[in-house]
Amino acid sequence: MDSFIEDKVWLGFDLSTQQLKSIAINENLEVVCEASVQFDSDLPEFRTTGGVHRHEDNQTATAPVLMWVKALELILDRLRVNGLDFSQVVGISGSGQQHGSVYWKRGARAVLQSLQGGKFLHEQLSQCFALGESPIWMDSSTSRECRQLEAHLGGAQHLAEVTGSRAYERFTASQIAKIAHTKAEVYSSTERISLVSSFLASLFIGDYAPIDLSDGSGMNLLDIKEKRWSSECLQFCGTELEAKLGSEVVPSSQVIGPLSEYFVERYGFHKDCYVVAFTGDNPASLAGMCLGPNDVAISLGTSDTAFLSLSTPKPALDGHIFCNPINEEHFMGLICFKNGSLTRERIRNTCADASWDIFNQLLESTPRGAFGNIGFYLDLPEIYPVVSGDFRYNRFDNEVTSFAAEVEIRACVESQFLRLRIHAENLGFKRSNSTRVLATGGASANHSIIAVLADVFNAPVYTYSIPNSAVLGSALLAKYAKEKETTSYYDMVLKLNANFKLVTKPSPDAGEIYDSLAERYRKLEDKLESKANGD
Ligand code: XUL
């Protein structure tokens, strides 16, 4: 089908919180062109900070939807200036920050279907939104709706069994419920609700794009095992919600239509260019990192986050399960803890004279397992346990008031990684002999810290030299959509293997030491959580 184009390229987009990014890849999966648009500096007329409008209540966070439309126009111009020949683009896909929602006004579909190539997109769409400001994932104003949704479903655990997560403020169900319950006129004038991802896809196909299964899993609305909307959840949020969401939810690698005539006429795209469902940035990252079954990707940044590919998911109260974008039989797990690099820095400042060199020396000179001592260092109340403060236990699990500096350092790093391991296991992660840990984020460059990561997971740690895995994952999914009948995703991405670098292997005694430490850690963590709940 694609024989019409020589030097084919596939285009990926990522509409994240602060920027819109795009890359084009060729048949060899090499990046041949890229461009980005920073919302604050490139579109200053919207007056966002970090791409966001934070409201006075300190809880509401939105982004102007027309800013995203303008950003698309700008990035297409930049791709052209950077040398991309649009007539070579075979297929397009993309990703978006998860959970955010866009409210299209009645009549918007007709506008999308008849876009005129001679006019700007943002002019034609200026009257198309029932809400000019889209709630995004940073919004935390919907606690009441969350508790109501959990009660409606018979409890948080049941909601997690159905949708993959207990109710979260940033997830779309509570956001939609808030609008339906408090802004009835906006809700009733809404023709369609898109996620940020399916909104961007809608612009490309000139019609409402279906929501994909992976990003759809971040809504508290999708039955992730049945792969259809949960009528119980829909019913709680608002009337006729299924019609507003579109009843069809599609796999992330499904072709959803040809490119709108608008882009063919205005930018010179090929008329046979196809568009693949857009997905969430986290699922797209999993695709970009080529995460295999039993692998775990760990991002060590301000927050410490893990993605896992899961064959047998176990929905839990402390993490998320999404449908897997690259393997329709599998799922993905996502866990995120708040006390990451800033906590490591605090311990470095207090125990190592603010020096990473001293921190690393002390870390390496202390035996694995820190003589059986376990510490919890929680500058912010954690996702689990929901407490803040420092808590130290000796090898008999008795609480103590302090550790020697070198023990404190090792206990801090070990405890952060044990937490990721335990909660990954809670979601169904099982280490196998082929398990790889892919480390990303700032601290992945620290070899001493990464050695502890390898030991705690008892698996080799790799780094991956691709700066933006979500946008790469999108471009790869655009290509994969037409190849999936004949090849597996992993075979298609074999060429990327050279980008993985083995950094360190676990020590031979790692399994023995950290299996028993993990067991003790789990019990102490539960004890802290029960204490916080006053049990
Ligand atoms: C994930 C989440 C964020 C956004 C950021 O649950 O809320 O990672 O997807 O773009």
Side-chain angles (χ1 to χ4, degrees):
M1 125 104 208
D2 308 326
S3 54
F4 60 93
I5 297 174
E6 276 179 50
D7 297 330
K8 296 171 190 159
V9 298
W10 290 263
L11 206 47
F13 290 86
D14 178 44
L15 201 177
S16 70
T17 316
Q18 307 194 21
Q19 64 170 353
L20 174 63
K21 195 166 173 26
S22 178
I23 62 165
I25 57 168
N26 65 12
E27 191 77 63
N28 290 324
L29 314 185
E30 292 152 351
V31 176
V32 293
C33 189
E34 54 189 312
S36 67
V37 170
Q38 303 296 323
F39 300 137
D40 295 358
S41 51
D42 290 325
L43 294 162
E45 65 271 34
F46 291 99
R47 297 172 185 275
T48 55
T49 308
V52 185
H53 286 152
R54 288 189 176 275
H55 297 241
E56 271 171 11
D57 62 1
N58 263 338
Q59 293 187 316
T60 310
T62 59
V65 65
L66 282 172
M67 174 179 81
W68 294 335
V69 177
K70 275 196 170 179
L72 174 60
E73 304 191 287
L74 205 50
I75 206 166
L76 290 170
D77 288 342
R78 289 186 178 174
L79 284 167
R80 182 168 29 210
V81 169
N82 293 351
L84 185 65
D85 176 353
F86 290 124
S87 71
Q88 291 175 340
V89 179
V90 180
I92 299 176
S93 188
S95 61
Q97 48 176 293
Q98 291 203 260
H99 320 298
S101 43
V102 171
Y103 298 78
W104 299 89
K105 208 196 299 196
R106 280 190 201 291
R109 182 175 204 176
V111 178
L112 271 177
Q113 288 172 333
S114 54
L115 291 169
Q116 295 165 32
K119 293 190 181 160
F120 286 116
L121 211 48
H122 69 270
E123 274 170 18
Q124 299 183 72
L125 296 175
S126 65
Q127 300 306 314
C128 281
F129 301 101
L131 261 191
E133 291 281 323
S134 284
I136 64 155
W137 65 279
M138 289 171 154
D139 189 285
S140 60
S141 67
T142 59
S143 303
R144 188 178 51 181
E145 289 77 8
C146 287
R147 301 295 77 83
Q148 289 169 343
L149 174 61
E150 287 177 350
H152 184 80
L153 264 279
Q157 181 62 34
H158 183 59
L159 181 64
E161 301 287 342
V162 177
T163 70
S165 303
R166 68 176 303 171
Y168 284 90
E169 281 77 359
R170 67 187 193 285
F171 277 44
T172 329
S174 60
Q175 294 292 339
I176 295 175
K178 178 181 152 194
I179 289 169
H181 301 164
T182 63
K183 291 188 177 152
E185 69 303 339
V186 170
Y187 187 77
S188 66
S189 67
T190 296
E191 183 171 77
R192 181 76 169 220
I193 301 172
S194 294
L195 291 176
V196 176
S197 55
S198 62
F199 151 76
L200 191 56
S202 301
L203 302 183
F204 280 110
I205 62 171
D207 201 348
Y208 292 143
I211 289 174
D212 79 294
L213 287 165
S214 298
D215 209 11
S217 313
M219 300 175 79
N220 278 140
L221 286 175
L222 186 76
D223 183 326
I224 57 163
K225 295 202 178 111
E226 298 295 327
K227 302 195 192 302
R228 54 174 163 72
W229 299 120
S230 147
S231 46
E232 285 169 290
C233 297
L234 293 180
Q235 194 195 37
F236 163 77
C237 295
T239 50
E240 293 171 18
L241 183 52
E242 180 158 355
K244 291 186 198 283
L245 293 172
S247 47
E248 196 193 11
V249 196
V250 300
S252 313
S253 57
Q254 180 160 314
V255 174
I256 55 167
L259 182 64
S260 157
E261 262 298 301
Y262 177 82
F263 296 92
V264 177
E265 212 181 311
R266 191 171 175 93
Y267 294 94
F269 278 90
H270 198 285
K271 65 176 181 20
D272 292 337
C273 176
Y274 63 84
V275 180
V276 175
F278 282 31
T279 188
D281 54 359
N282 293 304
S285 280
L286 177 135
M289 290 186 286
C290 312
L291 211 64
N294 307 314
D295 286 348
V296 48
I298 293 183
S299 162
L300 299 171
T302 310
S303 53
D304 286 346
T305 305
F307 302 145
L308 347 140
S309 183
L310 298 169
S311 49
T312 328
K314 292 197 286 175
L317 294 181
D318 48 2
H320 311 297
I321 307 269
F322 299 149
C323 294
N324 191 310
I326 54 182
N327 182 335
E328 285 171 37
E329 310 298 311
H330 278 202
F331 292 84
M332 73 174 273
L334 175 72
I335 44 182
C336 182
F337 290 107
K338 296 183 198 168
N339 295 290
S341 60
L342 299 179
T343 305
R344 287 185 283 276
E345 276 166 33
R346 170 173 65 94
I347 299 296
R348 177 203 63 183
N349 294 347
T350 51
C351 298
D353 217 4
S355 148
W356 282 121
D357 286 341
I358 301 176
F359 182 97
N360 292 349
Q361 271 168 28
L362 293 173
L363 179 60
E364 283 175 25
S365 65
T366 312
R368 286 182 282 288
F371 306 106
N373 294 297
I374 295 180
F376 293 81
Y377 303 90
L378 310 172
D379 295 348
L380 297 169
E382 206 25 284
I383 305 285
Y384 191 93
V386 191
V387 281
S388 57
D390 293 345
F391 306 91
R392 301 174 185 83
Y393 300 89
N394 66 16
R395 66 195 167 98
F396 306 110
D397 293 341
N398 293 325
E399 193 163 354
V400 294
T401 47
S402 63
F403 286 156
E406 67 277 13
V407 173
E408 186 99 314
I409 288 172
R410 187 166 262 283
C412 169
V413 178
E414 288 185 343
S415 121
Q416 291 183 322
F417 296 158
L418 282 167
R419 179 168 67 209
L420 287 168
R421 171 178 153 173
I422 285 165
H423 292 275
E425 286 169 357
N426 286 357
L427 288 181
F429 169 71
K430 284 194 195 76
R431 182 200 158 275
S432 82
N433 287 338
S434 64
T435 293
R436 295 177 306 172
V437 177
L438 304 185
T440 65
S444 65
N446 181 323
H447 197 276
S448 311
I449 289 181
I450 290 307
V452 180
L453 184 63
D455 285 339
V456 171
F457 278 81
N458 193 14
V461 177
Y462 292 78
T463 52
Y464 185 40
S465 58
I466 291 286
N468 186 322
S469 48
V471 74
L472 175 66
S474 302
L476 292 170
L477 282 165
K479 185 165 189 293
Y480 178 57
K482 290 277 180 166
E483 296 176 18
K484 62 180 181 180
E485 302 306 329
T486 51
T487 180
S488 81
Y489 186 82
Y490 301 110
D491 286 337
M492 186 189 89
V493 297
L494 277 179
K495 291 181 191 123
L496 293 175
N497 270 353
N499 294 306
F500 289 98
K501 194 173 140 237
L502 174 64
V503 191
T504 184
K505 287 187 182 163
S507 326
D509 57 358
E512 202 183 312
I513 295 173
Y514 290 101
D515 284 353
S516 66
L517 216 55
E519 216 168 292
R520 285 180 49 218
Y521 184 94
R522 183 186 288 279
K523 288 193 187 127
L524 291 169
E525 199 188 55
D526 286 343
K527 211 162 97 185
L528 277 175
E529 173 70 6
S530 321
K531 216 158 88 188
N533 289 334
D535 301 346

